[in-house]
Amino acid sequence: MALFNRKSNDTATTATTATAATATAVDPALAALTGDYTIDPAHSSIGFTVRHAMVTNVRGSFGEHEGSLRLDGSNPAGSTASIDVRIASVDTGIADRDGHLVSGDFFDAEKFPLMTFRSTSAEQLGGDKYRVTGDLTIKDVTRPLAIDLEFNGSATDVYGNERVGFEGGTEILRSDWGLTWNAALETGGVMVSDKVKLNFDISAIKAAAPQA
């Protein structure tokens, strides 16, 4: 199901034909998804993978995050996303390493408690695959970021909540956001790679329609 963009192959020869083609191009199931959604942190994850000591990977996640989506089934390219991640909630499974990450060597969480993403555009890549582009802010640096996502579908859960799901990821160079700490290894190379893989598994709940 196309979520952010749906194209028609019909060639409109008149304004009336164009209007009709646009109307028929809107999937009713897609249009029904239109609305505001709140990301459910209990059923979502925002994580990362980074190469450590040149030979292995360290995986971590941020346990505290919140965000919202605006899905527009009639004009999917107008859909938006906003996410706030609390840096102090980082968890790599080792307390000392987590403490180093939130220190001034890396995120400086006391001074910059949040990492944020604000979308600026969305596009369909094909099928249920999409690319959401926006501004990622870490510490005091804001840079554009594109995230590739797959739409996993929609469903009504056992509590009657309407949900949508997405998963995907992207790669960044942490140095682009001022995260430059490192240590040289005696055998060559460095302790932490510059490249970081970000991954997202998002479940969001649709807001109830306002009462008339």
Side-chain angles (χ1 to χ4, degrees), residues 46 48 61-66 84-92 97-104 106-116 136-139 179:
I46 297 176
F48 60 89
S61 62
F62 296 93
E64 296 181 26
H65 51 83
E66 60 183 19
D84 292 344
V85 177
R86 187 160 296 280
I87 294 298
S89 69
V90 66
D91 181 7
T92 64
R97 182 164 59 205
D98 298 341
H100 192 196
L101 288 173
V102 301
S103 75
F106 284 96
F107 288 107
D108 197 358
E110 184 173 350
K111 186 175 180 181
F112 304 102
L114 295 178
M115 172 172 59
T116 66
L136 175 67
T137 300
I138 302 176
K139 300 175 77 171
L179 303 176

Side-chain angles (χ1 to χ4, degrees), residues 13-85:
T13 56
T14 66
T16 300
T17 304
T19 301
T22 299
T24 57
V26 177
D27 184 338
L30 176 63
L33 296 179
T34 297
D36 295 314
Y37 293 76
T38 299
I39 293 176
D40 177 8
H43 296 93
S44 302
S45 65
I46 297 176
F48 60 89
T49 303
V50 61
R51 185 64 59 89
H52 176 262
M54 308 296 292
V55 297
T56 190
N57 291 319
V58 168
R59 293 174 175 83
S61 62
F62 296 93
E64 296 181 26
H65 51 83
E66 60 183 19
S68 60
L69 309 175
R70 170 64 184 174
L71 304 184
D72 189 335
S74 299
N75 179 29
S79 299
T80 62
S82 174
I83 301 175
D84 292 344
V85 177

Side-chain angles (χ1 to χ4, degrees), residues 12 25 71 83 113 117 148 154 158 185 196 198 212:
L71 304 184
I83 301 175
F117 178 79
D148 288 349
S154 61
V158 295
L185 301 175
V196 180
L198 303 179

